[in-house]
Amino acid sequence: MFSIQSKWRYLFMFLGVQLVVMALLSREGYQKRVNYFIRIFRKPESPRNHTAGAISFGGDVYANLSALGKAHHKGEDMPFCPKISPFIGGPIHVNFPSGLTLAEVQRKNPLVVRGGRYRPPDCAARHRTAIIIPHRHREHHLKFLLYYLHPFLQRQQLNYGIYVIHQAGNYTFNRAKLMNVGFREAMREEDWDCLFYHDVDLIPEDDRNLYVCDSNPKHAAIAMDKFGYKLPYKMYFGGVSALTPLHYLKMNGFPNNYWGWGGEDDDIGIRVSLGGMYITRPSIKVGRYKMIKHKLDKGNDVNPKRFNMLAKTRQSWKLDGMNTAEYEVLSREYFPLYTNVTVNIGNENGLHSPPPPVPTRSRDPPPKGAVKPPAKPPANTPVKEAAKPSAKKPASPPVNQPANPPVNQPAISPAKVPDNGPAKLKEDHPQR
C-alpha cells in the first residue's frame, strides 16, 4: 500500500515539474535563454554563410575584409556574386581617428586599383556603381569618407569607382552643377548601372544600406544624426541619392543655377515627381549616416534666391539641366583611391563671362578719385604744366592716378584658374 501511494506521489511531482517548465518556457525571457544554450551546442557557421541581417562581424568596417583574397577564377567562366553578399555585417561603428592619412587608407584597401576602382576578386559583380562626390576645400573630410566608403562598398561585392569632382577657382560653390559634370565624366569612362551622388561629409553607418539603384530614384540618407536620425521632411532628397542613367535623363539631370548653399536638393526632388517618378528609401534603421561636424564653407554662403527659384521649377526644369550644363575639364588625375576631375564651371553669367560685380556696402563707399580728379596735384608737378598738353610722353603715370584695375575682369580661363585639385591630397598619395 505504501509503495502504491509513493508511486502516485512521484507521478504527481513529475507532472507538476513539467507544467512549471512549460510555463517558464512560454515566457519570452526563458525562450531566449533556451535559444542561447542551443546555440552553444550548435556548430558555428562560416562567415560566408551569413545573411544580410546578420551583425556578427561587429562594428569594424574592416573586420571581415581579410576573407577577400585574390581571384580564384580566371577567364570568362567566373560565377556571379550571390544576390545577397555574405560579407555584409550590418551596423558600423563610425569615429574619426586623428592623424589619418590616405597612405594608411590605401594600405587597408589593397584590392582597390588606380582611379579608385574595385571589382570582387572571386565573382562577377551583379551591379556597377559610380560614386560622385562634389568637392572643394574639403580634403580633411574626403580622407574619412574614403576610409569608410571603400570597405563599405567592397562588403557589398560591387564593381565600383569613386569620382571626386573638384570645382576650380574661388567663385561660389555649385553642388548640383558639379553633379551634372560627374554624371557625364563617369559615363564617359564606363557604362555604369547606377550613380550615387554623395556629400563628402556623410559617413554610412550600416552596410545593409545597399549602394545599388531601385526602379525609381533612391534617397539613401534617410536618417542623419544631425536630424536626430529622422527624415526632416517628406520631399527631402539631400545628402546621398542614387539615380540610374534613365532616371537622370527623365528628370533632365540637375539644375545649374543654384549658386551657394540650399535649394538644389528640393529642386531635384520636384524634378523626380515631374519626370513621372517617385522617391524610394531604405528603412530608417538602415539608412543611417553620421555627419562630420564643420562650419559653413567659405564661398558656399546661403543662397538668398533659393525660394524664388524653387517656385519656378515647374517652368524651368526642362530649360535648365543636363541639356544646358557647360564646363571645362582642366585635369583628370587617377589617384590610388579615387579619380579627381578638376573643372571650371564658370559663374552665374556663364562659362566665360566675368563674374557679377560685388555690391558695394555703406562701409565701403566708392573712391572719390574714381569719379573726379583729386583737388591737389602732385607736390613736384606745377599746376600749369599739368594743365597743358605735353609733346613728350611722360615716362610714368601721375602719382594721383587710381591704381586699381578696371571693374570688368577678364573671363575665367584654364590658365588663370588658381586651383587644380586638392593639393594636400596629392602630396599624401604614394603613387602605385
Side-chain angles (χ1 to χ4, degrees), residues 403-415:
N404 295 330
V407 175
N408 294 327
Q409 300 291 336
I412 298 175
S413 63

Side-chain angles (χ1 to χ4, degrees), residues 321-386:
M322 68 160 191
N323 55 347
T324 57
E326 294 182 326
Y327 65 93
E328 291 177 337
V329 175
L330 304 183
S331 67
R332 182 189 296 267
E333 299 164 287
Y334 297 93
F335 293 126
L337 294 172
Y338 63 95
T339 297
N340 185 81
V341 183
T342 302
V343 292
N344 166 32
I345 60 173
N347 54 65
E348 292 178 80
N349 292 338
L351 186 61
H352 292 291
S353 300
V358 180
T360 57
R361 305 188 179 213
S362 57
R363 60 183 179 83
D364 296 323
K368 294 182 179 180
V371 179
K372 56 183 180 179
K376 293 183 180 180
N380 43 1
T381 305
V383 177
K384 292 183 179 180
E385 291 183 9

Side-chain angles (χ1 to χ4, degrees), residues 227-265:
F227 296 132
Y229 290 108
K230 296 179 182 179
L231 187 68
Y233 50 92
K234 185 178 180 181
M235 289 303 295
Y236 183 65
F237 202 66
V240 181
S241 56
L243 303 171
T244 67
L246 181 59
H247 296 158
Y248 180 85
L249 295 176
K250 281 185 176 180
M251 55 193 285
N252 192 24
F254 309 120
N256 298 300
N257 54 357
Y258 282 83
W259 297 90
W261 183 89
E264 79 282 355
D265 293 332

